[in-house]
Amino acid sequence: MSLNYPAPLSLAVSAVAQDDVSFAGPPHRHQNAQLIYARSGVVSVTTESGTWVVPPNRAVWVPSMVEHATRSHGPVQFRTIFVRSDAARSLPPSCGVVEVSPLLRELILRLVELQGHAVTAFAQRISELLLDELTFLPTEPLNLPMPSDQRLRDLCRVLQAKPDTDLSLDAAASRTGMSRRSFMRHFERETGMTYGRWRQQARLLAALPVLAEGRPVVTVALDCGYQSASAFAATFKRSMGRSPSGYFNDALRQR
């Protein structure tokens, strides 16, 4: 007589917790897909195609084998969910922003608690529900696409590093050796944004980490190239849906 034993349980997802005063990892890739979630603090994820800045109420989805570098901006508590490649087939093939709903947040934290314990039917249900709860958002306004053209890429890196740089459209075109018309056409084709929109995006993303540190809005505004705190606040609210002072307070209330 043969006995039919139940197949051993295995999870489609696993979790890793990391708390650091600061963190910066070199470019790397994983066989499994990843969901990178900042429980507190701000994390940025950079790939060949762009940078995502992740506040506490969002996460970044990184598909299998996509090279990326992760770093924090000051103290951070972040949780990484690894999704087996076979379980990620129906999920997006490119990086994107994930909304961390209250349920998804609790599922992530619960899965972290279960690591190191024997796999149970309960843990399996948690992992399946977590995958069902993933809700992907448009990449903007938390993504900064990078052009592949080296001239444009070098320019964007300078502007990303120094967001208060005052460089007009004509000056940017001249710096890359292009005519104004050619520069505008190439820039929008490479990034999906106009030069002015990309500059605004770069400044907003540069502001998020320092706002998270609690620095005054007026200081952040001036450091990011805005003429006044009111101009910065109006642009921030238009893009993010909330005022600079309320953005992280709202995120903390959701935790």
Side-chain angles (χ1 to χ4, degrees), residues 207-242:
L208 284 177
V210 284
L211 285 172
E213 295 170 2
R215 292 179 61 185
V217 172
V218 64
T219 302
V220 176
L222 297 177
D223 287 349
C224 290
Y226 288 88
Q227 297 300 309
S228 67
S230 59
F232 168 66
T235 300
F236 191 98
K237 187 170 184 179
R238 202 161 48 241
S239 294
M240 301 295 189
R242 280 162 286 182

Side-chain angles (χ1 to χ4, degrees), residues 18-249:
Q18 186 156 354
D19 300 343
D20 276 301
V21 174
S22 63
F23 172 83
H28 61 286
R29 64 185 74 201
H30 301 277
Q31 185 66 44
N32 294 330
Q34 282 182 273
L35 183 67
I36 300 171
Y37 163 57
R39 187 181 183 189
S40 67
V42 177
V43 171
S44 64
V45 179
T46 300
T47 71
E48 182 69 18
S49 61
T51 296
W52 286 258
V53 177
V54 192
N57 58 339
R58 296 288 187 268
V60 170
W61 170 253
V62 183
S64 169
M65 299 307 293
V66 171
E67 185 173 86
H68 61 284
T70 306
R71 66 181 294 255
S72 72
H73 302 268
V76 68
Q77 294 180 324
F78 72 93
R79 308 294 181 254
T80 301
I81 299 297
F82 292 95
V83 181
R84 255 189 358 233
S85 55
D86 62 308
R89 287 172 185 161
S90 63
L91 298 173
S94 57
C95 294
V97 176
V98 174
E99 182 173 12
V100 180
S101 66
L103 175 58
L104 180 58
R105 180 184 64 245
E106 294 306 318
L107 291 170
I108 291 171
L109 299 181
R110 188 67 170 132
L111 197 62
V112 169
E113 292 175 4
L114 293 173
Q115 296 307 295
H117 294 80
V119 176
T120 63
F122 173 71
Q124 191 169 47
R125 290 196 296 271
I126 290 288
S127 68
E128 291 169 354
L129 184 55
L130 188 152
L131 291 176
D132 288 341
E133 183 63 11
L134 291 181
T135 302
F136 291 85
L137 300 175
T139 54
E140 293 182 5
L142 297 172
N143 175 45
L144 188 67
M146 292 295 285
S148 56
D149 182 289
Q150 195 60 51
R151 296 167 297 175
L152 297 177
R153 198 174 186 87
D154 290 344
L155 172 70
C156 287
R157 281 175 173 160
V158 170
L159 298 176
Q160 189 178 18
K162 298 180 178 180
D164 61 336
T165 301
D166 185 15
L167 197 66
S168 68
L169 176 58
D170 288 331
S174 176
R175 184 163 181 161
T176 58
M178 301 182 192
S179 68
R180 176 190 175 98
R181 187 173 180 178
S182 178
F183 175 82
M184 291 171 62
R185 185 176 67 252
H186 279 80
F187 196 95
E188 189 161 359
R189 185 181 65 198
E190 293 263 337
T191 65
M193 296 179 176
T194 64
Y195 174 69
R197 179 71 185 91
W198 192 96
R199 290 297 316 276
Q200 177 180 296
Q201 187 82 340
R203 287 172 169 173
L204 287 175
L205 294 187
L208 284 177
V210 284
L211 285 172
E213 295 170 2
R215 292 179 61 185
V217 172
V218 64
T219 302
V220 176
L222 297 177
D223 287 349
C224 290
Y226 288 88
Q227 297 300 309
S228 67
S230 59
F232 168 66
T235 300
F236 191 98
K237 187 170 184 179
R238 202 161 48 241
S239 294
M240 301 295 189
R242 280 162 286 182
S243 68
S245 58
Y247 188 81
F248 285 97
N249 289 335

